[in-house]
Structure formats: C-alpha cells, structure tokens
C-alpha cells in the first residue's frame, strides 16, 4: 500500500521544513499500520509489543520488569519484620540500531521527460523498505534464543521434553510428520497460564495481552488473551487437523478477533494469526530455510544478554523446521524516537540530481528476566512472555 501524501506540498520542501516533518509522521503511521505486528503494538505493559518513546538521539535505555511477590506474608499478630518479602526488579539494557537507506535520481531532465515525481516515489519506496526491515528485526528478535518451547509430535501432539537438557535437543528430533496441531498450541497456552518450562520446572506465569475492540454498538471493550503467531505453512497444517476443524465451528470470527490481519481462528479463546512466511521477497516468521546470514543481519547483538545467537538452523536436525510463537504481555520491547528522519538533497552531481534518504533510530529486544541482584534465581535470563512452538516445515 502506497503511503498517503495527499495534501503534502512536496514541491515546497526546500523552503518549508515542515514538509519533511509531515512526511516523517506519515511514514511512521504507515510503518505500523502495514506491519504484520500492527495489532500487537501499544505503549502499555499489557501489549504484546510494547513501545517506549524516546526523545532525541539515545545511546541506551533500561526498561524495568517487576516480578510478582513470592513471599508468604504474615498472619495474625505477627510483626512485619518477621517475614519481609523481597522486591525483585529485573531490567534489560536496550541499545539502538540505525536503519537507513537512500535513493539517487537520474538527471532532472530525465525525470521531467518520464514524468516521474522522484521525491514522492522515493518516499513511498523507502517507507516500504523500512517497514520490511523493522518487521524482519522483530521476527528475528522474537525467535532468537528461546528459553521455553513446545515441540510438535505426530502421535501425541507434542513431545515430552522434560528429560531433555536443552530446547535444541528436543527440536532436533522433529520428524517429517511432526506438523503443527491444536494439542501443541493448547500445551503452550497451558504452560503460559500455569508457569511451566519445557523441562517441567516452574516459571512465572505469562500475563496475557490486552486487546481493545469496538462492538457493533460502538462500545469499547478490552479482552485478555495470548496471541499465537504462525507462518503460512504452519497455518495450512493447522487447518488439516481434525480438532482444529471442530473448534472453528464455534469460534467468534469477526467479533472478538476482527482486529487481526491473517486471523485464522481461536484455540482456548486465544487468536491464532498467520503472519506470513519469511522469504527473499516477503516478511514473516522464520523457518530453517532462512540463511544464517539473513537472520544475523537483522539481529541487534548488543541487546542479547549473553550474546547467544540461534538462527533457525540452530534448532534443526534432519527435517526442515518451522517456528511459531506464543506471545504474552511485553513479549517484545521496542524503543525509539517518535518518527524517522527524512532527508532531501537536490545538490547532488552539481545540482542535476536529487537524493532522498530515510533514517530510523530504534531498538528492538525480547524482554528477558535479568536479575543483577540475584543471578542464581531460576527466572534469571529467561524469556518474559514468549514460548516457541516448533514443527516440521513440510509444505
């Protein structure tokens, strides 16, 4: 979808600095409106992709994540000081990445001959490029270094991973017919609610995401759910699961879930959304057909607590593997300035050509429990609100 530049007087950009400001605002709105993740984004801590607005150029930001109190408290006539609880504040330092690109025109005479509005066309193309770059950065960040996961199994729905030393030990056992199914997704939802890890050990329960919607009567309501993201291959596998077919006979398509592009249906009241499959020409979720170099290109290593990089090949054995994701509240943190910067320069090549550029200063990180006071905590360095769902990526 082309960015709407109606009413913007592009021809006056040189004499009116507000032209570039208005272009930047419209690009920012279009970035999120056209993003695969648009319906998950918001500034509140109850959004799946939580945005943090920064003013000016920033070098780093450290958002806080607070753990629930775990103490027993006191009863009856007992004094407070007989059993103080412990306040645990977890933090994550986020460093910005700089996404930038530019285009140079042909000579102004050639532009006039071909009736090309170079500034308008460049802004539109650069906005599309930036949207794809940010969507890819979100996807790789979401899928890097899972600390909790469900692995699909053709016989039982999901594999018993409680005896496995690592997640990758489990995912590398995926066989051809271990496709995405309802039971595996239900397991991920149960683990999120119950607070369980792939190894059977306790984790903090994951808070669901707040989703606002307007009913037919115009009343704004808020519902709380986990969001299940799958790629197009996984979506087709899911549609062939007999249990899925039965579940969707009673779903509320168009009512509770009409905010989602790619909405497939619901499992245990949680919407399942097809966000596309990563390819050379499109964004989406990852699979082991994605090259390691393409994965690393969009990952900000400064935002990884221990520098661990796990492209899809890291989780893959003999069978091509796909990755779905359960997202809860504050699963991904996105800090940045309110809008990108747009540059227009008509002094190139002795004034014969124009350069249009775009620059976006942004930091994208997966929320992790990082405790500097108690690094021996079982919750230290674990995903805050994300569970991976691994399946055979047979098409």
């Amino acid at each position: 979808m082309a960015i709407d530049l109606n009413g913007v007087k592009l021809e006056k950009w040189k004499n009116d600095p507000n032209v570039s400001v208005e272009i930047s605002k419209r690009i920012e709105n279009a970035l999120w409106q056209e993003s695969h993740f648009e319906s998950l984004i918001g500034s509140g801590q109850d959004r799946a992709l939580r945005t943090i607005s920064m003013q000016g150029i920033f070098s780093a930001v450290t958002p806080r994540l607070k753990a629930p109190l775990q103490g027993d408290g006191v009863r009856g006539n007992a004094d407070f000081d007989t059993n103080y609880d412990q306040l645990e504040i977890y933090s994550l330092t986020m460093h910005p990445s700089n996404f930038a690109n530019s285009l140079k025109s042909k000579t102004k005479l050639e532009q006039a001959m071909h009736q090309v509005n170079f500034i308008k066309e460049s802004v539109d193309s650069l906005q599309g490029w930036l949207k794809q770059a940010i969507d890819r950065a979100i996807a790789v960040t979401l899928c890097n270094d899972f600390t909790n996961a469900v692995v699909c199994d053709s016989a039982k729905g999901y594999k018993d991973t409680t005896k496995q030393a690592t997640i990758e030990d489990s995912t590398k056992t995926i066989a051809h017919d271990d496709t995405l199914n309802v039971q595996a997704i239900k397991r991920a939802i149960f683990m999120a609610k119950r607070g369980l890890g792939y190894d059977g050990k306790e984790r903090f329960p994951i808070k669901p995401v707040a989703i606002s919607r307007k009913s037919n009567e115009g009343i704004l309501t808020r519902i709380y759910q986990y969001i299940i993201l799958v790629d197009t291959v996984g979506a087709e596998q899911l549609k062939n699961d007999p249990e899925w077919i039965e579940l969707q006979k009673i779903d509320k398509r168009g009512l509770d879930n009409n905010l989602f592009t790619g909405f497939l249906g619901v499992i245990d009241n949680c919407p399942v959304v097809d966000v596309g499959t990563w390819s050379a020409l499109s964004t989406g979720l990852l699979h082991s057909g994605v090259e390691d170099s393409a994965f690393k290109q969009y990952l900000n290593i400064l935002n990884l607590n221990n520098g661990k990089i796990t492209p899809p090949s890291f989780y893959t054995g003999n069978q091509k593997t796909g990755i779905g994701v359960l997202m809860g509240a504050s699963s991904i943190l996105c800090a940045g300035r309110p809008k990108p910067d747009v540059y227009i320069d008509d002094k190139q090549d002795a004034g014969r050509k124009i350069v249009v550029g775009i620059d976006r200063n942004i930091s994208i990180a997966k929320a992790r429990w990082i405790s500097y006071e108690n690094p021996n905590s079982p919750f230290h360095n674990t995903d805050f609100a994300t569970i991976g769902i691994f399946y055979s990526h047979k098409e």
Side-chain angles (χ1 to χ4, degrees), residues 338-350:
K339 60 184 184 300
D341 291 314
V342 173
Y343 307 91
I344 305 174
D345 180 5
D346 67 346
K347 295 182 174 58
Q348 298 292 312
D349 194 19

Side-chain angles (χ1 to χ4, degrees), residues 115-329:
Q115 296 183 326
V116 173
N117 186 329
F118 181 74
I119 295 176
K120 181 179 184 299
E121 298 300 333
S122 296
V123 167
D124 184 58
S125 294
L126 289 169
Q127 177 268 331
W129 173 86
L130 185 58
K131 180 194 78 68
Q132 178 169 280
I134 291 177
D135 272 7
R136 288 196 189 280
I138 292 172
V140 300
T141 302
L142 193 61
C143 293
N144 187 68
D145 191 20
F146 285 104
T147 60
N148 206 1
V150 173
V151 182
C152 293
D153 184 81
S154 59
K156 299 179 180 179
Y158 56 90
K159 299 181 186 296
D160 179 4
T161 58
T162 57
K163 300 296 192 296
Q164 299 286 357
T166 63
I167 290 174
E168 59 267 28
D169 288 341
S170 303
T171 59
K172 289 179 179 179
T173 66
I174 290 176
H176 183 72
D177 291 329
D178 293 335
T179 54
L180 186 63
N181 62 83
V182 171
Q183 286 301 312
I185 293 176
K186 283 187 172 182
R187 178 62 179 174
I189 294 170
F190 174 79
M191 289 165 61
K193 290 180 177 178
R194 171 64 178 81
L196 284 178
Y198 75 96
D199 52 7
K201 296 179 181 179
E202 290 195 350
R203 308 281 179 95
F204 281 126
I206 294 176
K207 293 182 178 179
V209 176
I211 303 167
S212 298
R213 66 177 181 87
K214 284 188 177 180
S215 69
N216 292 334
E217 294 78 26
I219 299 173
L220 184 66
T221 61
R222 179 162 288 190
I223 52 179
Y224 292 86
Q225 303 165 324
Y226 300 114
I227 310 299
I228 312 298
L229 303 184
V230 300
D231 83 329
T232 302
V233 173
E236 290 304 311
Q237 295 175 0
L238 199 56
K239 290 176 184 178
N240 292 322
D241 183 350
E243 188 173 357
W244 170 267
I245 296 171
E246 289 300 313
L247 280 175
Q248 302 323 305
K249 290 179 180 179
I250 57 173
D251 79 355
K252 297 179 180 179
R253 187 182 301 270
L255 295 179
D256 290 347
N257 303 287
N258 59 357
L259 291 176
F260 296 100
T261 300
F263 167 69
L264 295 174
V266 294
I267 296 177
D268 289 352
N269 295 318
C270 298
V272 181
V273 185
D274 176 0
V275 292
T277 299
W278 182 304
S279 72
L281 300 177
S282 63
T283 57
L285 285 186
L286 294 148
H287 52 86
S288 58
V290 177
E291 296 289 339
D292 289 6
S293 57
F295 179 92
K296 295 174 183 177
Q297 177 184 349
Y298 294 96
L299 189 67
N300 186 345
I301 192 170
L302 294 177
N303 288 343
L304 309 182
N305 182 53
N306 54 6
K308 187 176 181 181
I309 300 174
T310 63
S313 62
F314 177 84
Y315 296 104
T316 304
N318 297 322
Q319 175 60 34
K320 185 179 178 182
T321 306
I323 307 173
V325 183
L326 177 146
M327 295 183 72

Side-chain angles (χ1 to χ4, degrees), residues 63-85:
R64 307 294 179 182
L65 302 169
K66 186 169 65 173
L69 297 180
Q70 300 294 303
D72 296 326
V74 296
R75 299 290 186 275
N77 197 40
D79 292 338
F80 279 132
D81 60 9
T82 61
N83 192 15
Y84 284 124
D85 210 329

